[in-house]
Structure formats: C-alpha cells, structure tokens
Amino acid sequence: MFSPVTGQNSKRSAVRKALDRHKVYITAQRFSAGTYQARVLVDGEAYWVDEFRLSQLQQGLSPAELELTPAADD
C-alpha cells in the first residue's frame, strides 16, 4: 500500500539524485561526414564526445566511468 510518507521519501530521493548528478554543458558542435561530435564541459573539464557518449553523460555517468580524456586546448 502507498502511504504519504513513502511518497514523500521517494520524491526526496529523486531530488537528491538529480542534485548529485553533474551538469553537462555543450560548448560546441561539429557535423562532419555524417558524424556528430560535441565539445562538452563537465565539472570544469572539456571533452569531445560523440552522440552516444553525450547521452551517457546526460544520464549521469561520469567522464572517468566512460574513460574520456580531456580535450586539448584549441
């Protein structure tokens, strides 16, 4: 059975999880030869990623978990 306390706890848990997730900022995009790349800023570090890696970052995975290397200064 669903109680108000259980509902409130699940809402608080969802908010806590969203706040703990890192922010991903897209700073540049490239479209070349049918491929997409985005330069993203995560926790103060820039990375070039493809569309799949971008979606993984936006879902909450960290660059370390994806074994990304920082982008060279342009």
Side-chain angles (χ1 to χ4, degrees), residues 6-62:
T6 304
Q8 186 66 29
N9 286 342
S10 67
K11 287 178 187 177
R12 287 182 181 188
S13 174
V15 168
R16 191 177 318 109
K17 184 176 178 183
L19 291 174
D20 287 343
R21 188 177 301 166
H22 56 263
K23 303 283 191 267
V24 178
Y25 300 97
I26 299 174
T27 61
Q29 297 180 58
R30 289 186 202 164
F31 299 93
S32 177
T35 61
Y36 170 81
Q37 281 191 320
R39 187 174 191 265
V40 296
L41 189 63
V42 181
D43 299 329
E45 195 70 57
Y47 303 91
W48 281 103
V49 295
D50 59 12
E51 194 169 1
F52 179 68
R53 295 284 187 232
L54 176 59
S55 69
Q56 289 180 316
L57 286 170
Q58 290 172 330
Q59 290 172 11
L61 292 173
S62 72

